[in-house]
Amino acid sequence: MVRAFFERREALILFVAARTRDMATAEDVVQDLYLKIAGLDPTAEVRAPEALLYRMAANLLVDHARSVQRSSRRSAEWRLETRTVMDGQDVAHDPPADEVVIGKERVRLLADAVASLPPQMGRAFRLHKLDGMTQAQTAQVMGVSVKMVEAHIAAAIKHLAQRLRS
């Protein structure tokens, strides 16, 4: 039976792939088929080994489809039980604790770096990048030219990049 399997292995993969439309799944199902065949009694006489191989492959396909359905159903049920839904959309829960800690540390480092900027440069950066003002609005609030605001922001970004890399 094992010899018949190896003689028909490629054809079995194509048989399964034609039904699943997925080569990886086909390989997995044929591997499962081999494991079942390897577990059979080698002295048992099989009259039509090829027919048995295809019947077993078809049965494994049914088992695989049922398994996928059960898994999908479990995932959907779990999502419904553990997620908050508003207007048909999942609402994300809090991120993992390590991501929160890393994020807070990054924010602290950035805040320290912005605080270390020279006064005019820091003000231009905060008004434009953090408060969302245009460069023209920032220039008007600061009483300087737009070119000066551009220079302050470029210098601030360069300073912050250097500070955060170290």
Side-chain angles (χ1 to χ4, degrees), residues 1 33 36-37 40 51-60:
M1 190 70 181
L33 176 60
K36 287 203 176 283
I37 290 168
L40 294 177
L52 180 60
L53 287 171
Y54 282 98
R55 172 53 55 201
M56 290 175 74
N59 289 344
L60 285 171

Side-chain angles (χ1 to χ4, degrees), residues 1-10 12 34 37 53:
M1 190 70 181
V2 173
R3 193 174 101 228
F5 170 82
F6 282 115
E7 290 171 358
R8 301 296 301 163
R9 183 178 180 280
E10 293 302 318
L12 288 164
Y34 173 75
I37 290 168
L53 287 171

Side-chain angles (χ1 to χ4, degrees), residues 20-34:
T20 62
R21 297 193 173 135
D22 181 17
M23 270 315 246
T25 300
E27 292 277 353
D28 289 345
V29 169
V30 171
Q31 179 66 30
D32 289 344
L33 176 60
Y34 173 75

Side-chain angles (χ1 to χ4, degrees), residues 99-157:
E99 290 179 17
V100 171
V101 170
I102 291 169
K104 285 181 179 181
E105 180 64 16
R106 285 182 179 161
V107 168
R108 188 191 61 75
L109 290 172
L110 181 60
D112 290 348
V114 170
S116 73
L117 293 171
Q120 285 291 87
M121 190 186 298
R123 186 172 182 211
F125 180 83
R126 281 189 292 279
L127 289 172
H128 179 64
K129 294 293 186 182
L130 303 179
D131 294 343
M133 291 185 176
T134 64
Q135 289 182 352
Q137 291 169 331
T138 302
Q140 187 176 14
V141 167
M142 291 180 65
V144 298
S145 69
V146 174
K147 283 280 189 196
M148 182 56 73
V149 169
E150 289 173 359
H152 281 315
I153 292 170
I157 290 172

